[in-house]
Amino acid sequence: QVQLVESGGGLVQDGGSLRLSCAVSGRSISNFDMGWFRQAPGKEREFVAAIGRSGSKTYYGEFMKGRFTISRDNAKNTVHLQMNSLRPEDAAVHYCAAHAGADWLPRRPYAYEYWGQGTQVTVSS
């Protein structure tokens, strides 16, 4: 059974940084394309970043470019999201997701088969 567990969320001041991690168990992470999404109260789930299985291809949401960096460590079955220059509008529950199939649409939540429970990110102004 594949499980994804996020960690690293918390409270940070405007302009601060956080590093989220997602640990995958039950199957090697090298079998998955990985993504991060976020959802604020009353809003739709929003694409944050994604990374292909080998780590050579990365994708970012329009408002994340230059501030966030996604990376993966296949040896440790973990994917990370480094978030810098955080703003109050970045506050949301952040979810890790995994895609195991052949065709992959990295920015689409429905493309992912497995999801974590989420970790809360709060940014104070």
Side-chain angles (χ1 to χ4, degrees), residues 1 8 13-14 20-21 36 49 65 67 77-78 80 88-89 92-93 96 106 111 113 116-117 121-122:
Q1 182 178 357
Q13 289 187 334
D14 192 352
L20 304 185
S21 296
W36 286 96
K65 284 184 179 179
R67 299 191 296 131
N77 255 28
T78 305
H80 303 286
E89 54 264 38
V93 178
C96 176
E113 295 93 342
Q117 292 300 308
V121 171
T122 304

Side-chain angles (χ1 to χ4, degrees), residues 2-112:
V2 176
Q3 288 188 319
L4 282 65
V5 178
E6 302 95 337
S7 61
L11 173 64
V12 65
Q13 289 187 334
D14 192 352
S17 298
L18 282 174
R19 187 182 192 227
L20 304 185
S21 296
C22 173
V24 178
S25 62
R27 196 171 170 189
S28 172
I29 197 174
S30 62
N31 293 297
F32 299 114
D33 304 301
M34 301 297 296
W36 286 96
F37 291 79
R38 70 186 187 186
Q39 189 166 18
K43 295 187 177 181
E44 292 187 354
R45 193 160 293 191
E46 180 181 27
F47 172 71
V48 177
I51 187 167
R53 298 175 196 197
S54 68
S56 61
K57 291 185 177 181
T58 58
Y59 307 84
Y60 293 94
E62 184 63 30
F63 297 103
M64 293 71 179
K65 284 184 179 179
R67 299 191 296 131
F68 294 3
T69 303
I70 189 171
S71 62
R72 64 190 295 155
D73 186 340
N74 285 354
K76 294 184 178 180
N77 255 28
T78 305
V79 63
H80 303 286
L81 181 68
Q82 178 67 43
M83 304 187 295
N84 298 327
S85 302
L86 283 163
R87 307 163 182 164
E89 54 264 38
D90 292 317
V93 178
H94 284 64
Y95 297 92
C96 176
H99 166 76
D103 298 323
W104 182 38
L105 298 173
R107 294 178 173 83
R108 300 290 182 255
Y110 58 74
Y112 295 82

